[in-house]
């Protein structure tokens, strides 16, 4: 049974680390192709992005279908019916589902000099929108996101997976779409960040240079 949103009121800012992976994985339909996404790189596919497509021509009529679908691996969940905006809290973004969902589906037809198309799916024409996910690591649930860009025109769908991330702390809510740093990581300046020298320090000559280096 699919998990509902459930914890909206209890959503919290994650305190753990977030693992982000930049990517440029093309999505091309017509398909028959499958992308197996392994968000935490443990050798186990967490989600599948599949493309389908076919076309036929008969008696002057041309029909074409293309689709991009996401399917969670067994025990995992995704919010496939909503394309989340950057900064939107994952567990408040819609209903988590275990079932196959069409991210982008388009049908094109032409006959007797006329043509047209129909399309559906939350990701049918998006730039840098997010698929919210929950998946299991060692039996514990983790929140994450997958960033997608897709376009469709006259029966053709193309796009790419441009990155994905997950929270390493199990059973934690509040991860935002597009978030790549946890709260303490984003507020703590790196130790090796150089500080700009002030005019006062430069006026002290060598002594000021030594203080600046500290």
């Amino acid at each position: 049974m699919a998990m509902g949103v459930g914890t909206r009121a209890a959503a919290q800012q994650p305190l753990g680390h977030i693992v982000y992976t930049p990517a440029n994985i093309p999505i091309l339909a017509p398909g028959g192709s499958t992308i197996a996404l392994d968000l935490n790189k443990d050798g186990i596919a967490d989600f599948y992005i599949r493309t389908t497509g076919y076309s036929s021509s008969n008696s002057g009529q041309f029909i074409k279908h293309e689709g991009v679908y996401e399917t969670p691996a067994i025990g995992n969940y995704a919010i496939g019916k909503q394309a989340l905006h950057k900064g939107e809290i994952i567990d408040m973004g819609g209903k988590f589902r275990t079932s196959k969902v069409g991210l982008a589906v388009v049908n094109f037809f032409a006959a007797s000099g006329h043509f047209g198309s129909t399309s559906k799916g939350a990701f049918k024409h998006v730039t840098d929108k997010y698929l919210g996910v929950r998946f299991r690591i060692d039996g514990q649930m983790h929140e994450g996101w997958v960033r997608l860009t897709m376009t469709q025109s006259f029966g053709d769908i193309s796009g790419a997976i441009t990155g994905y991330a997950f929270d390493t702390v199990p059973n934690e809510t509040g991860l935002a779409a597009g978030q790549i740093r946890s709260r303490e990581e984003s507020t703590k300046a790196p130790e090796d960040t150089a500080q700009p020298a002030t005019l006062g320090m430069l006026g002290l000559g060598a002594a000021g240079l030594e203080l600046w280096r500290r």
Side-chain angles (χ1 to χ4, degrees):
M1 182 173 66
M3 294 177 64
V5 175
T7 56
R8 291 188 177 188
Q12 62 188 30
Q13 179 70 19
L15 298 177
H17 294 287
I18 298 167
V19 176
Y20 167 63
T21 302
N24 185 19
I25 305 170
I27 299 172
L28 299 173
S33 63
T34 299
I35 300 168
L37 281 176
D38 178 6
L39 272 66
N40 63 319
K41 299 180 178 62
D42 62 354
I44 302 172
D46 303 306
F47 300 90
Y48 298 94
I49 306 292
R50 293 186 171 95
T51 63
T52 63
Y54 63 82
S55 62
S56 65
S57 180
N58 185 31
S59 301
Q61 295 183 339
F62 176 77
I63 299 174
K64 184 177 184 179
H65 164 86
E66 291 186 4
V68 178
Y69 299 85
E70 64 83 7
T71 306
I74 295 175
N76 296 339
Y77 307 84
I79 308 175
K81 291 186 177 293
Q82 285 82 28
L84 305 184
H85 298 273
K86 185 175 182 178
E88 191 170 355
I89 302 302
I90 298 296
D91 59 284
M92 298 177 67
K95 184 177 181 179
F96 286 96
R97 302 171 187 269
T98 61
S99 57
K100 172 183 174 181
V101 173
L103 301 178
V105 180
V106 61
N107 294 287
F108 175 82
F109 64 90
S112 302
H114 301 281
F115 63 88
S117 64
T118 60
S119 60
K120 62 181 180 179
F123 291 83
K124 65 183 180 182
H125 194 84
V126 300
T127 300
D128 291 337
K129 293 298 186 288
Y130 297 84
L131 173 69
V133 301
R134 281 180 179 161
F135 68 107
R136 296 184 186 276
I137 303 175
D138 296 329
Q140 300 293 314
M141 298 304 299
H142 294 254
E143 287 193 341
W145 53 258
V146 180
R147 186 173 58 226
L148 297 161
T149 290
M150 279 195 281
T151 60
Q152 63 85 19
S153 177
F154 296 105
D156 292 319
I157 300 175
S158 62
I161 297 168
T162 60
Y164 48 89
F166 72 98
D167 184 0
T168 62
V169 178
N171 305 313
E172 188 167 56
T173 60
L175 180 68
Q179 184 177 350
I180 62 175
R181 294 183 179 88
S182 57
R183 184 170 65 187
E184 70 273 20
E185 289 173 322
S186 61
T187 57
K188 180 181 178 182
E191 294 182 0
D192 60 349
T193 301
Q195 301 297 323
T198 65
L199 290 175
M201 286 183 177
L202 291 175
L204 292 175
L209 182 60
E210 181 62 27
L211 286 172
W212 173 64
R213 286 174 174 170
R214 293 178 187 175

